[in-house]
Amino acid sequence: MWIRLMYTTCPTRKIEMKPLTVREKQVLWYLCQGMKEEEIGQRMGRATRTIQNSVKRLGRIFHTRGKAQLIEHAKTNGLLKPTLEEMSSDN
């Protein structure tokens, strides 16, 4: 178990994955802005539980544990776009 945890959280590990959805990008962006899950839910018109599930799903996608590690991963790997308008124009 300990070896697996070290492997999945290794920052140099490269993973191929499908692109994030617009909603996942928005949740990640709001999270990196320091907003709480309740605030994100209100802003996006979603239930807090839905946002919590999105955060968990993002953690599984990026092999991170906890919000702090997810935010650090997003910032260090350039996953954030400067504006929400750009995120919604991806589709």
Side-chain angles (χ1 to χ4, degrees):
M1 175 96 167
W2 183 75
I3 294 170
R4 181 169 191 256
L5 290 178
M6 284 193 56
Y7 179 71
T8 58
T9 59
C10 178
T12 59
R13 181 174 177 219
K14 301 290 182 195
I15 357 172
E16 289 187 33
M17 61 181 190
K18 64 179 183 171
L20 297 177
T21 65
V22 172
R23 187 164 293 147
E24 289 169 335
K25 290 177 188 178
Q26 289 172 336
V27 169
L28 187 58
W29 190 84
Y30 283 131
L31 201 61
C32 290
Q33 299 304 311
M35 294 179 74
K36 295 182 180 181
E37 292 160 338
E38 295 83 17
E39 296 170 316
I40 298 170
Q42 289 173 351
R43 179 76 52 102
M44 294 179 67
R46 303 282 178 235
T48 301
R49 190 70 175 149
T50 303
I51 302 302
Q52 290 170 342
N53 288 337
S54 295
V55 171
K56 286 180 187 177
R57 188 171 43 255
L58 286 166
R60 285 192 303 269
I61 289 170
F62 297 120
H63 300 277
T64 58
R65 292 195 172 267
K67 288 185 271 189
Q69 199 176 48
L70 177 61
I71 292 167
E72 181 183 346
H73 178 79
K75 288 181 177 180
T76 57
N77 291 295
L79 299 176
L80 302 176
K81 291 198 175 188
T83 64
L84 287 174
E85 291 80 23
E86 288 182 20
M87 281 188 260
S88 56
S89 68
D90 284 347
N91 284 344

